[in-house]
Amino acid sequence: MDVNQVLEGTLSPDATIRTNAELQLTSAAETDFSGYLTVLATELANEQAQPHIRSAAALALKNSFSAREYTRLRQVQDRWLNQVDPNVKAQVKATALKTLSAGNNQVGGQTAQFIASIAAIELPRQMWPELMQTLVSNVGEGSDHQKQASLTTIGYICDTDDQDLRDSLAQHSNAILTAVVQGARKEEANEEVRSAAITALSDSLEFVRTNFENEGERNYIMQVICEATQATDPRIQQGAYGCLNRIMGLYYDKMRFYMEKALFGLTIQGMKHDEEDVAKLAVEFWCTVCEEEISIEDDNQQVRDLFLVLETAAAANEDISLTLAKAQAEGSTELREYFNFARVATQEVVPVLLELLAKQDEDAADDEYNVSRAAYQCLQLWAQTVGSAVVPPVLAFVEKNLRSEDWHFRDAAVSAFGAIMEGPEPTMLEPLVKQALPVLIGMMDDQVIQVKDSAAYALGRICEATAESIDASTHLQPLIASLFGGLSSHPKMASSCCWALMNLADRFAGEPGCDSNALSPHFQASVTHILQVTERHDADNQLRTAAYEVLNAFVTNAANDSVGIVAGLSDVVLERLEKTIQLQAQVVSVEDKLTLEEMQTSLTSVVMAIVQRLEVEIKPQADRIMGVLLQLLSSLGAKSSVPDTVFAAIGALANALEDDFIKYMDAFTPFLYNALGNQEEPALCSMAIGLVSDITRSLGEKVQPWCDAFMNYLLNNLRSQQLGNTFKPAILQCFGDIAQAIGGHFETYLPVVAQVLQQAAGVPMTPDISYEMLDYIVSLREGIMDAWDGAIVAMKSSGKTQLLAPWVQAIFELLHMVYTDSSRSEALLRSSLGVVGDLADAFPHGEFAEMYRADWLTAMAREVRANREFQARTQDTARWAREQIKRQIGIAHYLSCFPSLFRQGGLGYHLRS
C-alpha cells in the first residue's frame, strides 16, 4: 500500500476515489493493526510530507479508535488494549506528542484529536501517566504552535460524555487547570494560544470542582476569565463569555460575590458588543442565570412539598422515618441558595434585551440564531423567572415603539409583548392583553412581512398562555379572520399563523363532549377557508402541511353541534386522498414523490382526526375509510414515510369500532405482519407494535386467532440486535395488552413472558449511568409493570391466579427497586402501584400478605398519593393501592394471630365456611 497515495485519496472530492481509499485503510487495519498504526504514525511524524497528508494520517489514526455505536467503540478500544504490542503503543503515543510541535496548525489540531482518542482509553485505566505532565510542560515551555496544539488536546480530552473518562479527569484537575489558566492569562501574547486556552478552560470546568471550592483558586480563575472578556480578539471574548455561561450553570452557589463585583457590568457591556457572536454569548449568560433560578425554585418547591407530606403523615401518627431517610439520601431535604440575580438586574438588563430585539436581520433564515432571537429567548426566560417585575420596562418599550416608523422597533415591540405572556400574574396581564389585542390584530396588515409574522406569533403566545383574556364575543371573529388572512398572504407567515390558530382551537374547545363552544359559530367558515388554502395553486408544501395541521386542531376540538360538519368533511378528505393514489403513476422525480407523500400524510392525519372525533359515529363511513387506507398501503413503495400515518389512522379506527373492526383483520393483517417483521424500517415497525396494542384492546377476546403470530413477531423483535433497546418497553407493554384482551388464554404465553420480564427487570441502574440509558431503564420498567398488570388481570379474570405464584417474589423485588431508585417517572409509579393493588386483589385471601407488611410499600403509596404535581388518576391509583395494602396487612395480622387457619385452608376458606 502506497500510504501517501491512499491518504491523498481520502481527501479526494471524487466519492469513488475517497471510498476506495477508506476501504484500503480499513483492510490494512484489519490485516495488521500494529503495522497499520506504525505506518500512519511514521507518516504523521514525517516533517517532509505535505501538511494535508500528515493531517489525513492523524485523522485516520483518530478514526481507528472512534465509532458511533457504543458496542463498536468498545471493540476498537479493546483492539488497542489487547492486540497492539506495548512497544508499538509507546512509539505511536510518543510520535503523536512530538507532532504537537508541528509548525502547521491543521496538523497539530488533527493530532490533538488522535491523542484525545487514545487518552479516552488509557486515562480511565490509570495508563499514560506522563500525558498530562507533558501537555502542561508544553504549555509552559513549548513553542507557540506546541502550546496551541497542547491546549487544544486538553480541550478535546475534557469534551467527553464517557463517564469513566470524566471520573478519571478529576484526579488531573490541578494539571489541567495549571495549563489552561497559564495559556488564558492576559500576559499570553499569542492570541491563538490564548483562544485555545479559553476553549480548553470551558471544556474542563466540570472537572475542576475541587479547585473551584477553594476561594483563592476560584478568585484567580474568575479574574483570568473576566480579563479575557476585555481582550481585543473577539474569539477570546466569545470563549470567555462561554466560560461564564458554564460557570453559572455549574457553580451558581459561588457566584454572588462575582456578580456584585464584576459580572453584572461585564455582561451588559458584552451584550452591547458590535461583534454579534460576542453579544449572543453575553445574552446567553443571562439565559443561564434564568434557567438556573427557575430550576432552583422548582427544586425548593419540591422540598417544601416534601415537608408538607411529612407534617401531614406525622399528624396522622404515621411512620415517616423511611420517607425521610430516602429523601435525605437523595439530597432532597435541603433548600438551595437562591440569590435573585435576575430580579435584581431587571432594570439594567431588560432594557438592553429590548434594544437587541430591534437588531433583526431581515434576510435571516427561519432557523438562524442571531442576537435578536437570543434576546427574545432571554426575555421569555426572564418573564418566567421574575414574573410581574418584567412588565413595567417591557410595557414602556412597547408603548414607545409599537407605532414606530422604523419597522425594526415595531417588530421588537410586538415580539417583546408576546415574550412576557408566561410568568407575570394573570391579573396583571389580562387588562393589558384586552387593550393590546385590537392593535395586534391590526398589525397583521402591516406593510412589512417581519412585523406581520411577529404579530401572528404574539397572538399565538396570547392564545397559548392567556386565552382567558380573550373575549370570545368581541375578539374571536377578528382574531380568526386576521390569522387566516395572514395564512393566505405569505408562506413565511404559515408557521406562526398556524401555530396561533392551533393554540386558539385548543384553548376555546370547552369541556370534552360539550354541545357547543366558542369555535362553533366560526367552525364552518374556518374549515372552508383551510380547504381553500390547501387547494391554492401557489401553495407550497410548507403552507399546505401547516394548513392541514390547523384543520386537525379544529376537527379535534369540534363541539357536538359541529360534528355534522366534521362528518361531511370526511367525504372531501377521502376524495382528495383517493386522487393522490391515482397520481402515483404520474410521479417522475424524487421531488414529486416527496410532495405527493407529504400530501398523503397530511390527508391521512386529517382522516385520523375525524375518526377520533366522531368515534363510533364513524361506522357508516368505516368501509370506505378502510378501503382507501388499504388501497394506499398497496400502492406505496419501500421506504415510504406514509405507512406510519396510515397505521396510526387504522389504530384510531380500531379504537372507534372496537370489536366490529374484526371484519377488516384478514385484509389488513398481511400489511401488519410485514411491518412487524420489517426491521429495516424501525419507525414503521414501532408503529406496528403500537397498532397491535390498539387492535387487541379493541377486539378483546376475539383477537385470539391472531395472537400466536403477534407473539412470535414481538418476541423476535425483542431479541433483535438490529432494533436495539428502544423498542423493548413498547413490546412489553403490548404483552400486557394482549393478556388483558384474551384473559385466561394468555396462560399459553405466561411462562415465556414471565421469564422475559424477570430478565428485563435485572437491567441495573448504576451510579455512573448515562441519561440516555437512565431514560431507557425507566421506560423499560414501565413496560414491565404494564405487562405484569395485564397478566395479573388476565389470570384473575379466568381464575388462574396460582399460575402467578412463582413470580410474585420477583415482582416485589422490582417494586422495591422502583421505590429505592431516585429516578422514576410518574407513569412508572402509577403502573407500579397498579400492580400492587391488582396483585392484592388477585390474592384476596392473604397468600402473599406478609410481603405487604414492608414499610417501603406503604411509604411509596403515601408519597405518590401526597404528591400534588401528579395527575389525579395517579393519586387515585395510589389511594386504591394504599387501601389494598391496609387490607393485606390486616389479613397478615389475622393470620399471625391464628396460624392454624392458614394451615387448614387459608382465611378465605374459613370466611366462606
Side-chain angles (χ1 to χ4, degrees), residues 702-761:
K702 292 181 181 179
V703 80
Q704 189 185 346
W706 293 278
C707 282
D708 281 352
F710 287 162
M711 291 297 296
N712 283 332
Y713 278 112
L714 293 173
L715 288 168
N716 284 337
N717 288 339
L718 200 61
R719 290 189 289 264
S720 170
Q721 295 296 318
Q722 190 170 355
L723 290 178
N725 289 335
T726 54
F727 287 69
K728 292 179 181 178
I731 293 172
L732 299 183
Q733 187 179 48
C734 200
F735 289 157
D737 291 328
I738 291 173
Q740 290 209 45
I742 64 176
H745 299 293
F746 194 73
E747 175 185 353
T748 306
Y749 314 116
L750 181 61
V752 174
V753 170
Q755 287 180 356
V756 167
L757 297 180
Q758 193 168 19
Q759 290 172 358

Side-chain angles (χ1 to χ4, degrees), residues 402-707:
L402 198 58
R403 301 190 186 279
S404 172
E405 293 185 5
D406 185 336
W407 74 263
H408 294 86
F409 283 93
R410 288 201 308 278
D411 181 75
V414 172
S415 298
F417 190 78
I420 64 169
M421 288 298 103
E422 183 182 355
E425 289 294 326
T427 52
M428 173 175 276
L429 288 178
E430 185 170 350
L432 301 177
V433 170
K434 288 183 182 297
Q435 182 181 352
L437 266 174
V439 179
L440 291 174
I441 292 171
M443 295 185 78
M444 290 290 291
D445 294 323
D446 196 279
Q447 297 301 307
V448 179
I449 185 62
Q450 285 85 356
V451 178
K452 295 169 66 172
D453 187 46
S454 294
Y457 195 80
L459 290 170
R461 289 277 293 167
I462 290 171
C463 293
E464 177 189 43
T466 61
E468 61 279 356
S469 305
I470 301 174
D471 186 334
S473 61
T474 305
H475 300 132
L476 204 53
Q477 193 282 325
L479 178 56
I480 291 175
S482 69
L483 291 170
F484 275 121
L487 183 60
S488 303
S489 68
H490 199 286
K492 182 178 175 61
M493 295 184 63
S495 177
S496 296
C497 289
C498 288
W499 181 68
L501 284 164
M502 287 188 286
N503 284 336
L504 184 147
D506 288 340
R507 295 302 182 268
F508 288 95
E511 292 298 320
C514 60
D515 291 332
S516 185
N517 61 25
L519 297 175
S520 296
H522 314 284
F523 195 85
Q524 179 66 72
S526 298
V527 169
T528 301
H529 199 125
I530 297 169
L531 292 175
Q532 289 172 349
V533 168
T534 58
E535 285 288 273
R536 279 171 43 183
H537 294 295
D538 62 340
D540 60 8
N541 286 349
Q542 181 183 5
L543 174 58
R544 191 182 298 111
T545 301
Y548 278 125
E549 288 176 357
V550 176
L551 186 57
N552 287 344
F554 271 79
V555 167
T556 300
N557 294 296
N560 291 339
D561 58 2
S562 300
V563 163
I565 302 172
V566 173
L569 176 64
S570 65
D571 292 327
V572 177
V573 175
L574 287 171
E575 184 179 341
R576 290 187 180 186
L577 192 53
E578 288 168 335
K579 288 180 179 177
T580 67
I581 298 173
Q582 298 166 12
L583 291 173
Q584 293 276 165
Q586 302 176 24
V587 171
V588 293
S589 68
V590 173
E591 186 178 351
D592 288 344
K593 179 177 180 290
L594 293 175
T595 298
L596 184 61
E597 289 195 351
E598 199 164 331
M599 190 183 302
Q600 289 174 330
T601 298
S602 295
L603 288 165
T604 305
S605 70
V606 178
V607 171
M608 180 172 66
I610 292 171
V611 171
Q612 290 171 331
R613 178 61 190 90
L614 295 181
E615 295 179 321
V616 71
E617 294 177 32
I618 198 66
K619 190 176 292 187
Q621 293 148 297
D623 286 352
R624 184 183 179 192
I625 291 172
M626 197 64 190
V628 172
L629 295 178
L630 290 174
Q631 188 182 355
L632 183 56
L633 285 174
S634 299
S635 69
L636 295 169
K639 305 296 183 182
S640 170
S641 60
V642 181
D644 295 12
T645 312
V646 175
F647 275 28
I650 290 174
L653 191 64
N655 290 331
L657 298 179
E658 296 184 338
D659 58 359
D660 284 340
F661 185 79
I662 196 169
K663 65 179 178 178
Y664 306 119
M665 285 295 288
D666 288 337
F668 174 59
T669 47
F671 297 102
L672 181 57
Y673 293 157
N674 182 59
L676 283 170
N678 188 354
Q679 298 183 7
E680 298 295 325
E681 297 184 61
L684 182 60
C685 186
S686 176
M687 286 298 303
I689 293 167
L691 188 50
V692 170
S693 287
D694 289 336
I695 289 173
T696 53
R697 286 194 296 264
S698 299
L699 296 185
E701 201 165 6
K702 292 181 181 179
V703 80
Q704 189 185 346
W706 293 278
C707 282

Side-chain angles (χ1 to χ4, degrees), residues 12-66:
S12 172
D14 186 313
T16 302
I17 296 175
R18 190 171 62 252
T19 301
N20 184 51
E22 290 168 352
L23 289 173
Q24 288 187 65
L25 289 176
T26 302
S27 175
E30 295 295 334
T31 304
D32 178 10
F33 190 51
S34 291
Y36 171 79
L37 295 176
T38 301
V39 169
L40 287 181
T42 301
E43 198 59 32
L44 175 64
N46 182 5
E47 295 184 0
Q48 305 306 312
Q50 293 292 320
H52 69 278
I53 296 295
R54 298 179 71 187
S55 295
L59 183 61
L61 285 165
K62 188 267 293 185
N63 290 342
S64 301
F65 303 99
S66 304

